[in-house]
mmCIF file of all heavy atoms in Angstrom:
data_model
loop_
_atom_site.group_PDB
_atom_site.id
_atom_site.type_symbol
_atom_site.label_atom_id
_atom_site.label_comp_id
_atom_site.label_asym_id
_atom_site.label_seq_id
_atom_site.Cartn_x
_atom_site.Cartn_y
_atom_site.Cartn_z
ATOM 1 N N ALA A 1488 -57.929 14.538 41.893
ATOM 2 C CA ALA A 1488 -58.743 13.957 40.828
ATOM 3 C C ALA A 1488 -60.218 14.345 40.942
ATOM 4 O O ALA A 1488 -61.043 13.867 40.161
ATOM 5 C CB ALA A 1488 -58.613 12.433 40.843
ATOM 6 N N GLU A 1489 -60.542 15.206 41.916
ATOM 7 C CA GLU A 1489 -61.912 15.689 42.131
ATOM 8 C C GLU A 1489 -62.904 14.534 42.288
ATOM 9 O O GLU A 1489 -63.884 14.425 41.548
ATOM 10 C CB GLU A 1489 -62.355 16.609 40.991
ATOM 11 C CG GLU A 1489 -61.496 17.853 40.864
ATOM 12 C CD GLU A 1489 -61.940 18.762 39.724
ATOM 13 O OE1 GLU A 1489 -62.729 18.307 38.862
ATOM 14 O OE2 GLU A 1489 -61.503 19.925 39.705
ATOM 15 N N PRO A 1490 -62.663 13.651 43.257
ATOM 16 C CA PRO A 1490 -63.559 12.500 43.425
ATOM 17 C C PRO A 1490 -64.920 12.898 43.972
ATOM 18 O O PRO A 1490 -65.047 13.889 44.701
ATOM 19 C CB PRO A 1490 -62.805 11.629 44.437
ATOM 20 C CG PRO A 1490 -62.031 12.610 45.258
ATOM 21 C CD PRO A 1490 -61.601 13.673 44.274
ATOM 22 N N LYS A 1491 -65.916 12.106 43.632
ATOM 23 C CA LYS A 1491 -67.228 12.215 44.274
ATOM 24 C C LYS A 1491 -67.263 11.343 45.527
ATOM 25 O O LYS A 1491 -67.956 11.667 46.494
ATOM 26 C CB LYS A 1491 -68.319 11.761 43.303
ATOM 27 C CG LYS A 1491 -68.389 12.577 42.031
ATOM 28 C CD LYS A 1491 -69.349 11.943 41.028
ATOM 29 C CE LYS A 1491 -69.337 12.690 39.706
ATOM 30 N NZ LYS A 1491 -70.196 12.022 38.692
ATOM 31 N N LEU A 1492 -66.511 10.236 45.478
ATOM 32 C CA LEU A 1492 -66.381 9.307 46.595
ATOM 33 C C LEU A 1492 -64.907 9.150 46.910
ATOM 34 O O LEU A 1492 -64.107 8.824 46.038
ATOM 35 C CB LEU A 1492 -66.984 7.946 46.240
ATOM 36 C CG LEU A 1492 -66.770 6.818 47.262
ATOM 37 C CD1 LEU A 1492 -67.523 7.109 48.563
ATOM 38 C CD2 LEU A 1492 -67.205 5.475 46.682
ATOM 39 N N LEU A 1493 -64.547 9.371 48.178
ATOM 40 C CA LEU A 1493 -63.167 9.246 48.619
ATOM 41 C C LEU A 1493 -63.065 8.060 49.567
ATOM 42 O O LEU A 1493 -63.734 8.006 50.600
ATOM 43 C CB LEU A 1493 -62.723 10.528 49.326
ATOM 44 C CG LEU A 1493 -61.280 10.574 49.837
ATOM 45 C CD1 LEU A 1493 -60.289 10.415 48.693
ATOM 46 C CD2 LEU A 1493 -61.036 11.895 50.584
ATOM 47 N N LEU A 1494 -62.236 7.075 49.195
ATOM 48 C CA LEU A 1494 -61.992 5.894 50.013
ATOM 49 C C LEU A 1494 -60.714 6.119 50.817
ATOM 50 O O LEU A 1494 -59.640 6.274 50.227
ATOM 51 C CB LEU A 1494 -61.839 4.647 49.130
ATOM 52 C CG LEU A 1494 -62.946 4.371 48.111
ATOM 53 C CD1 LEU A 1494 -62.570 3.169 47.242
ATOM 54 C CD2 LEU A 1494 -64.285 4.125 48.805
ATOM 55 N N LEU A 1495 -60.843 6.152 52.127
ATOM 56 C CA LEU A 1495 -59.687 6.372 52.995
ATOM 57 C C LEU A 1495 -59.370 5.082 53.731
ATOM 58 O O LEU A 1495 -60.171 4.606 54.535
ATOM 59 C CB LEU A 1495 -59.978 7.500 54.001
ATOM 60 C CG LEU A 1495 -60.301 8.876 53.427
ATOM 61 C CD1 LEU A 1495 -60.577 9.862 54.554
ATOM 62 C CD2 LEU A 1495 -59.156 9.383 52.546
ATOM 63 N N ASP A 1496 -58.200 4.513 53.465
ATOM 64 C CA ASP A 1496 -57.792 3.240 54.056
ATOM 65 C C ASP A 1496 -56.813 3.512 55.196
ATOM 66 O O ASP A 1496 -55.666 3.869 54.967
ATOM 67 C CB ASP A 1496 -57.147 2.351 52.990
ATOM 68 C CG ASP A 1496 -57.000 0.906 53.445
ATOM 69 O OD1 ASP A 1496 -57.242 0.623 54.636
ATOM 70 O OD2 ASP A 1496 -56.632 0.066 52.622
ATOM 71 N N GLU A 1497 -57.283 3.372 56.438
ATOM 72 C CA GLU A 1497 -56.494 3.620 57.644
ATOM 73 C C GLU A 1497 -55.837 5.004 57.619
ATOM 74 O O GLU A 1497 -54.610 5.124 57.768
ATOM 75 C CB GLU A 1497 -55.419 2.539 57.791
ATOM 76 C CG GLU A 1497 -55.956 1.126 57.935
ATOM 77 C CD GLU A 1497 -56.501 0.836 59.329
ATOM 78 O OE1 GLU A 1497 -56.460 1.730 60.200
ATOM 79 O OE2 GLU A 1497 -56.994 -0.284 59.539
ATOM 80 N N PRO A 1498 -56.613 6.074 57.448
ATOM 81 C CA PRO A 1498 -55.994 7.404 57.360
ATOM 82 C C PRO A 1498 -55.297 7.843 58.640
ATOM 83 O O PRO A 1498 -54.398 8.679 58.601
ATOM 84 C CB PRO A 1498 -57.183 8.318 57.037
ATOM 85 C CG PRO A 1498 -58.370 7.598 57.586
ATOM 86 C CD PRO A 1498 -58.078 6.140 57.336
ATOM 87 N N ALA A 1499 -55.706 7.301 59.799
ATOM 88 C CA ALA A 1499 -55.096 7.708 61.065
ATOM 89 C C ALA A 1499 -53.918 6.824 61.459
ATOM 90 O O ALA A 1499 -53.262 7.087 62.468
ATOM 91 C CB ALA A 1499 -56.144 7.683 62.179
ATOM 92 N N GLY A 1500 -53.631 5.775 60.685
ATOM 93 C CA GLY A 1500 -52.541 4.869 61.016
ATOM 94 C C GLY A 1500 -51.207 5.589 61.092
ATOM 95 O O GLY A 1500 -50.811 6.292 60.164
ATOM 96 N N GLY A 1501 -50.498 5.450 62.204
ATOM 97 C CA GLY A 1501 -49.188 6.062 62.363
ATOM 98 C C GLY A 1501 -49.198 7.514 62.780
ATOM 99 O O GLY A 1501 -48.134 8.132 62.922
ATOM 100 N N LEU A 1502 -50.373 8.096 62.985
ATOM 101 C CA LEU A 1502 -50.463 9.508 63.375
ATOM 102 C C LEU A 1502 -50.502 9.648 64.893
ATOM 103 O O LEU A 1502 -51.024 8.780 65.603
ATOM 104 C CB LEU A 1502 -51.718 10.152 62.779
ATOM 105 C CG LEU A 1502 -51.861 10.117 61.253
ATOM 106 C CD1 LEU A 1502 -53.106 10.895 60.831
ATOM 107 C CD2 LEU A 1502 -50.625 10.678 60.557
ATOM 108 N N ASN A 1503 -49.956 10.756 65.406
ATOM 109 C CA ASN A 1503 -50.053 11.031 66.835
ATOM 110 C C ASN A 1503 -51.396 11.682 67.158
ATOM 111 O O ASN A 1503 -52.196 11.964 66.250
ATOM 112 C CB ASN A 1503 -48.879 11.898 67.312
ATOM 113 C CG ASN A 1503 -48.838 13.270 66.628
ATOM 114 O OD1 ASN A 1503 -49.864 13.895 66.377
ATOM 115 N ND2 ASN A 1503 -47.627 13.730 66.317
ATOM 116 N N HIS A 1504 -51.654 11.914 68.445
ATOM 117 C CA HIS A 1504 -52.969 12.412 68.863
ATOM 118 C C HIS A 1504 -53.327 13.737 68.194
ATOM 119 O O HIS A 1504 -54.448 13.913 67.700
ATOM 120 C CB HIS A 1504 -53.006 12.575 70.384
ATOM 121 C CG HIS A 1504 -54.294 13.134 70.895
ATOM 122 N ND1 HIS A 1504 -55.467 12.386 70.953
ATOM 123 C CD2 HIS A 1504 -54.628 14.387 71.343
ATOM 124 C CE1 HIS A 1504 -56.445 13.137 71.434
ATOM 125 N NE2 HIS A 1504 -55.966 14.346 71.679
ATOM 126 N N GLY A 1505 -52.366 14.654 68.145
ATOM 127 C CA GLY A 1505 -52.642 15.950 67.529
ATOM 128 C C GLY A 1505 -52.945 15.822 66.048
ATOM 129 O O GLY A 1505 -53.842 16.506 65.521
ATOM 130 N N GLU A 1506 -52.214 14.949 65.360
ATOM 131 C CA GLU A 1506 -52.444 14.748 63.929
ATOM 132 C C GLU A 1506 -53.798 14.094 63.671
ATOM 133 O O GLU A 1506 -54.458 14.405 62.672
ATOM 134 C CB GLU A 1506 -51.321 13.897 63.341
ATOM 135 C CG GLU A 1506 -49.978 14.617 63.274
ATOM 136 C CD GLU A 1506 -48.819 13.704 62.924
ATOM 137 O OE1 GLU A 1506 -48.899 12.491 63.234
ATOM 138 O OE2 GLU A 1506 -47.816 14.195 62.347
ATOM 139 N N VAL A 1507 -54.230 13.212 64.578
ATOM 140 C CA VAL A 1507 -55.550 12.592 64.431
ATOM 141 C C VAL A 1507 -56.644 13.645 64.556
ATOM 142 O O VAL A 1507 -57.617 13.646 63.778
ATOM 143 C CB VAL A 1507 -55.756 11.470 65.473
ATOM 144 C CG1 VAL A 1507 -57.212 11.006 65.498
ATOM 145 C CG2 VAL A 1507 -54.843 10.291 65.166
ATOM 146 N N GLU A 1508 -56.509 14.561 65.512
ATOM 147 C CA GLU A 1508 -57.500 15.631 65.667
ATOM 148 C C GLU A 1508 -57.546 16.515 64.431
ATOM 149 O O GLU A 1508 -58.623 16.942 63.987
ATOM 150 C CB GLU A 1508 -57.183 16.467 66.918
ATOM 151 C CG GLU A 1508 -57.423 15.729 68.223
ATOM 152 C CD GLU A 1508 -58.865 15.258 68.377
ATOM 153 O OE1 GLU A 1508 -59.791 16.061 68.128
ATOM 154 O OE2 GLU A 1508 -59.071 14.079 68.729
ATOM 155 N N GLU A 1509 -56.381 16.810 63.847
ATOM 156 C CA GLU A 1509 -56.345 17.590 62.607
ATOM 157 C C GLU A 1509 -57.036 16.835 61.474
ATOM 158 O O GLU A 1509 -57.755 17.434 60.660
ATOM 159 C CB GLU A 1509 -54.890 17.892 62.219
ATOM 160 C CG GLU A 1509 -54.202 18.900 63.135
ATOM 161 C CD GLU A 1509 -52.760 19.135 62.714
ATOM 162 O OE1 GLU A 1509 -52.350 18.585 61.668
ATOM 163 O OE2 GLU A 1509 -52.047 19.848 63.441
ATOM 164 N N LEU A 1510 -56.827 15.525 61.433
ATOM 165 C CA LEU A 1510 -57.445 14.698 60.393
ATOM 166 C C LEU A 1510 -58.967 14.728 60.516
ATOM 167 O O LEU A 1510 -59.672 14.800 59.493
ATOM 168 C CB LEU A 1510 -56.935 13.260 60.491
ATOM 169 C CG LEU A 1510 -57.536 12.260 59.508
ATOM 170 C CD1 LEU A 1510 -57.196 12.631 58.067
ATOM 171 C CD2 LEU A 1510 -57.037 10.840 59.820
ATOM 172 N N ILE A 1511 -59.479 14.684 61.728
ATOM 173 C CA ILE A 1511 -60.932 14.750 61.936
ATOM 174 C C ILE A 1511 -61.486 16.042 61.330
ATOM 175 O O ILE A 1511 -62.492 16.031 60.611
ATOM 176 C CB ILE A 1511 -61.263 14.656 63.435
ATOM 177 C CG1 ILE A 1511 -61.000 13.235 63.950
ATOM 178 C CG2 ILE A 1511 -62.716 15.053 63.702
ATOM 179 C CD1 ILE A 1511 -61.104 13.088 65.451
ATOM 180 N N GLY A 1512 -60.800 17.161 61.591
ATOM 181 C CA GLY A 1512 -61.235 18.427 61.013
ATOM 182 C C GLY A 1512 -61.154 18.438 59.505
ATOM 183 O O GLY A 1512 -62.044 18.976 58.821
ATOM 184 N N LEU A 1513 -60.106 17.822 58.949
ATOM 185 C CA LEU A 1513 -59.940 17.769 57.497
ATOM 186 C C LEU A 1513 -61.060 16.974 56.832
ATOM 187 O O LEU A 1513 -61.616 17.394 55.812
ATOM 188 C CB LEU A 1513 -58.596 17.127 57.151
ATOM 189 C CG LEU A 1513 -57.395 18.038 56.957
ATOM 190 C CD1 LEU A 1513 -56.149 17.201 56.693
ATOM 191 C CD2 LEU A 1513 -57.623 19.022 55.813
ATOM 192 N N ILE A 1514 -61.387 15.828 57.403
ATOM 193 C CA ILE A 1514 -62.438 14.993 56.811
ATOM 194 C C ILE A 1514 -63.771 15.730 56.841
ATOM 195 O O ILE A 1514 -64.539 15.683 55.869
ATOM 196 C CB ILE A 1514 -62.530 13.643 57.539
ATOM 197 C CG1 ILE A 1514 -61.250 12.829 57.306
ATOM 198 C CG2 ILE A 1514 -63.738 12.845 57.055
ATOM 199 C CD1 ILE A 1514 -61.160 11.552 58.113
ATOM 200 N N ARG A 1515 -64.055 16.407 57.931
ATOM 201 C CA ARG A 1515 -65.298 17.190 58.012
ATOM 202 C C ARG A 1515 -65.323 18.280 56.948
ATOM 203 O O ARG A 1515 -66.356 18.519 56.306
ATOM 204 C CB ARG A 1515 -65.443 17.798 59.405
ATOM 205 C CG ARG A 1515 -65.839 16.785 60.474
ATOM 206 C CD ARG A 1515 -65.944 17.451 61.825
ATOM 207 N NE ARG A 1515 -66.413 16.508 62.835
ATOM 208 C CZ ARG A 1515 -66.073 16.541 64.104
ATOM 209 N NH1 ARG A 1515 -65.241 17.484 64.542
ATOM 210 N NH2 ARG A 1515 -66.548 15.658 64.957
ATOM 211 N N THR A 1516 -64.184 18.949 56.757
ATOM 212 C CA THR A 1516 -64.114 20.005 55.745
ATOM 213 C C THR A 1516 -64.301 19.438 54.344
ATOM 214 O O THR A 1516 -64.986 20.023 53.500
ATOM 215 C CB THR A 1516 -62.767 20.739 55.838
ATOM 216 O OG1 THR A 1516 -62.639 21.319 57.136
ATOM 217 C CG2 THR A 1516 -62.666 21.842 54.788
ATOM 218 N N ILE A 1517 -63.690 18.282 54.088
ATOM 219 C CA ILE A 1517 -63.825 17.634 52.781
ATOM 220 C C ILE A 1517 -65.290 17.307 52.497
ATOM 221 O O ILE A 1517 -65.776 17.485 51.379
ATOM 222 C CB ILE A 1517 -62.945 16.370 52.731
ATOM 223 C CG1 ILE A 1517 -61.466 16.770 52.653
ATOM 224 C CG2 ILE A 1517 -63.315 15.473 51.554
ATOM 225 C CD1 ILE A 1517 -60.506 15.633 52.921
ATOM 226 N N ARG A 1518 -65.995 16.834 53.500
ATOM 227 C CA ARG A 1518 -67.419 16.512 53.328
ATOM 228 C C ARG A 1518 -68.263 17.782 53.203
ATOM 229 O O ARG A 1518 -69.080 17.912 52.283
ATOM 230 C CB ARG A 1518 -67.915 15.686 54.514
ATOM 231 C CG ARG A 1518 -69.413 15.379 54.490
ATOM 232 C CD ARG A 1518 -69.905 14.910 55.855
ATOM 233 N NE ARG A 1518 -69.688 15.925 56.871
ATOM 234 C CZ ARG A 1518 -69.793 15.711 58.190
ATOM 235 N NH1 ARG A 1518 -70.093 14.510 58.637
ATOM 236 N NH2 ARG A 1518 -69.581 16.694 59.043
ATOM 237 N N ASP A 1519 -68.071 18.722 54.125
ATOM 238 C CA ASP A 1519 -68.972 19.868 54.235
ATOM 239 C C ASP A 1519 -68.708 20.950 53.200
ATOM 240 O O ASP A 1519 -69.647 21.536 52.651
ATOM 241 C CB ASP A 1519 -68.896 20.472 55.639
ATOM 242 C CG ASP A 1519 -69.336 19.501 56.718
ATOM 243 O OD1 ASP A 1519 -70.061 18.544 56.398
ATOM 244 O OD2 ASP A 1519 -68.957 19.698 57.889
ATOM 245 N N GLN A 1520 -67.443 21.241 52.920
ATOM 246 C CA GLN A 1520 -67.107 22.342 52.019
ATOM 247 C C GLN A 1520 -66.868 21.891 50.581
ATOM 248 O O GLN A 1520 -67.113 22.645 49.646
ATOM 249 C CB GLN A 1520 -65.874 23.095 52.542
ATOM 250 C CG GLN A 1520 -66.114 23.787 53.879
ATOM 251 C CD GLN A 1520 -64.919 24.607 54.323
ATOM 252 O OE1 GLN A 1520 -63.999 24.899 53.547
ATOM 253 N NE2 GLN A 1520 -64.911 24.989 55.592
ATOM 254 N N ARG A 1521 -66.405 20.671 50.408
ATOM 255 C CA ARG A 1521 -66.125 20.177 49.066
ATOM 256 C C ARG A 1521 -67.196 19.225 48.556
ATOM 257 O O ARG A 1521 -67.154 18.817 47.401
ATOM 258 C CB ARG A 1521 -64.739 19.508 49.028
ATOM 259 C CG ARG A 1521 -63.612 20.504 49.230
ATOM 260 C CD ARG A 1521 -62.248 19.864 49.285
ATOM 261 N NE ARG A 1521 -61.228 20.913 49.363
ATOM 262 C CZ ARG A 1521 -60.443 21.295 48.369
ATOM 263 N NH1 ARG A 1521 -60.525 20.686 47.196
ATOM 264 N NH2 ARG A 1521 -59.565 22.265 48.527
ATOM 265 N N GLY A 1522 -68.144 18.856 49.414
ATOM 266 C CA GLY A 1522 -69.257 18.005 48.994
ATOM 267 C C GLY A 1522 -68.853 16.608 48.589
ATOM 268 O O GLY A 1522 -69.509 15.979 47.754
ATOM 269 N N ILE A 1523 -67.769 16.092 49.184
ATOM 270 C CA ILE A 1523 -67.255 14.768 48.830
ATOM 271 C C ILE A 1523 -67.757 13.741 49.849
ATOM 272 O O ILE A 1523 -67.680 13.953 51.053
ATOM 273 C CB ILE A 1523 -65.716 14.769 48.782
ATOM 274 C CG1 ILE A 1523 -65.221 15.714 47.679
ATOM 275 C CG2 ILE A 1523 -65.173 13.362 48.561
ATOM 276 C CD1 ILE A 1523 -63.719 15.909 47.657
ATOM 277 N N THR A 1524 -68.262 12.638 49.343
ATOM 278 C CA THR A 1524 -68.687 11.531 50.184
ATOM 279 C C THR A 1524 -67.449 10.730 50.583
ATOM 280 O O THR A 1524 -66.549 10.523 49.769
ATOM 281 C CB THR A 1524 -69.670 10.631 49.416
ATOM 282 O OG1 THR A 1524 -70.791 11.429 49.014
ATOM 283 C CG2 THR A 1524 -70.156 9.474 50.267
ATOM 284 N N VAL A 1525 -67.407 10.279 51.838
ATOM 285 C CA VAL A 1525 -66.226 9.581 52.347
ATOM 286 C C VAL A 1525 -66.623 8.214 52.902
ATOM 287 O O VAL A 1525 -67.564 8.104 53.693
ATOM 288 C CB VAL A 1525 -65.523 10.400 53.451
ATOM 289 C CG1 VAL A 1525 -64.327 9.617 54.014
ATOM 290 C CG2 VAL A 1525 -65.067 11.754 52.917
ATOM 291 N N LEU A 1526 -65.902 7.194 52.477
ATOM 292 C CA LEU A 1526 -66.001 5.856 53.074
ATOM 293 C C LEU A 1526 -64.618 5.536 53.618
ATOM 294 O O LEU A 1526 -63.636 5.541 52.879
ATOM 295 C CB LEU A 1526 -66.420 4.816 52.034
ATOM 296 C CG LEU A 1526 -66.479 3.355 52.513
ATOM 297 C CD1 LEU A 1526 -67.507 3.169 53.619
ATOM 298 C CD2 LEU A 1526 -66.795 2.414 51.341
ATOM 299 N N LEU A 1527 -64.525 5.304 54.929
ATOM 300 C CA LEU A 1527 -63.211 5.081 55.513
ATOM 301 C C LEU A 1527 -63.136 3.779 56.285
ATOM 302 O O LEU A 1527 -64.093 3.386 56.962
ATOM 303 C CB LEU A 1527 -62.797 6.258 56.391
ATOM 304 C CG LEU A 1527 -63.571 6.580 57.670
ATOM 305 C CD1 LEU A 1527 -62.939 5.887 58.874
ATOM 306 C CD2 LEU A 1527 -63.602 8.082 57.915
ATOM 307 N N VAL A 1528 -61.998 3.109 56.142
ATOM 308 C CA VAL A 1528 -61.649 1.947 56.949
ATOM 309 C C VAL A 1528 -60.694 2.450 58.021
ATOM 310 O O VAL A 1528 -59.711 3.129 57.704
ATOM 311 C CB VAL A 1528 -60.957 0.856 56.100
ATOM 312 C CG1 VAL A 1528 -60.254 -0.154 56.997
ATOM 313 C CG2 VAL A 1528 -61.962 0.143 55.220
ATOM 314 N N GLU A 1529 -60.976 2.129 59.268
ATOM 315 C CA GLU A 1529 -60.151 2.688 60.335
ATOM 316 C C GLU A 1529 -60.252 1.852 61.598
ATOM 317 O O GLU A 1529 -61.332 1.377 61.953
ATOM 318 C CB GLU A 1529 -60.587 4.140 60.616
ATOM 319 C CG GLU A 1529 -59.736 4.877 61.614
ATOM 320 C CD GLU A 1529 -58.260 4.859 61.257
ATOM 321 O OE1 GLU A 1529 -57.862 5.525 60.286
ATOM 322 O OE2 GLU A 1529 -57.521 4.139 61.948
ATOM 323 N N HIS A 1530 -59.110 1.668 62.283
ATOM 324 C CA HIS A 1530 -59.088 0.993 63.575
ATOM 325 C C HIS A 1530 -59.174 1.983 64.734
ATOM 326 O O HIS A 1530 -59.407 1.585 65.875
ATOM 327 C CB HIS A 1530 -57.803 0.169 63.723
ATOM 328 C CG HIS A 1530 -57.835 -1.127 62.975
ATOM 329 N ND1 HIS A 1530 -57.214 -1.311 61.756
ATOM 330 C CD2 HIS A 1530 -58.444 -2.301 63.264
ATOM 331 C CE1 HIS A 1530 -57.423 -2.547 61.339
ATOM 332 N NE2 HIS A 1530 -58.161 -3.172 62.233
ATOM 333 N N HIS A 1531 -58.944 3.256 64.454
ATOM 334 C CA HIS A 1531 -58.980 4.287 65.497
ATOM 335 C C HIS A 1531 -60.443 4.593 65.808
ATOM 336 O O HIS A 1531 -61.087 5.404 65.140
ATOM 337 C CB HIS A 1531 -58.248 5.536 65.017
ATOM 338 C CG HIS A 1531 -57.890 6.495 66.100
ATOM 339 N ND1 HIS A 1531 -58.834 7.161 66.844
ATOM 340 C CD2 HIS A 1531 -56.678 6.897 66.579
ATOM 341 C CE1 HIS A 1531 -58.239 7.948 67.711
ATOM 342 N NE2 HIS A 1531 -56.923 7.794 67.574
ATOM 343 N N MET A 1532 -60.986 3.935 66.845
ATOM 344 C CA MET A 1532 -62.415 4.006 67.116
ATOM 345 C C MET A 1532 -62.887 5.402 67.491
ATOM 346 O O MET A 1532 -63.994 5.805 67.146
ATOM 347 C CB MET A 1532 -62.801 3.019 68.219
ATOM 348 C CG MET A 1532 -62.793 1.571 67.784
ATOM 349 S SD MET A 1532 -63.975 1.249 66.438
ATOM 350 C CE MET A 1532 -62.881 1.247 65.021
#
């Protein structure tokens, strides 16, 4: 939907360690390359 603001609700929930590391890279790419602002709720400190 080409958001300007992306709300991520527990994006790491249920993911293993490797998938969490991939998610970190994805969120950075979404911010840096796509210019999308991210607000995330997360328990994975």
Side-chain angles (χ1 to χ4, degrees):
E1489 299 180 345
K1491 300 171 185 176
L1492 173 67
L1493 181 61
L1494 308 175
L1495 300 179
D1496 194 351
E1497 299 283 0
L1502 302 184
N1503 62 38
H1504 178 74
E1506 290 170 332
V1507 169
E1508 290 301 313
E1509 289 179 5
L1510 177 63
I1511 289 172
L1513 268 177
I1514 294 173
R1515 286 179 176 148
T1516 300
I1517 288 167
R1518 176 196 60 193
D1519 298 339
Q1520 295 184 15
R1521 293 176 175 255
I1523 297 173
T1524 301
V1525 177
L1526 176 62
L1527 65 93
V1528 164
E1529 185 54 71
H1530 282 101
H1531 196 295
M1532 287 299 100

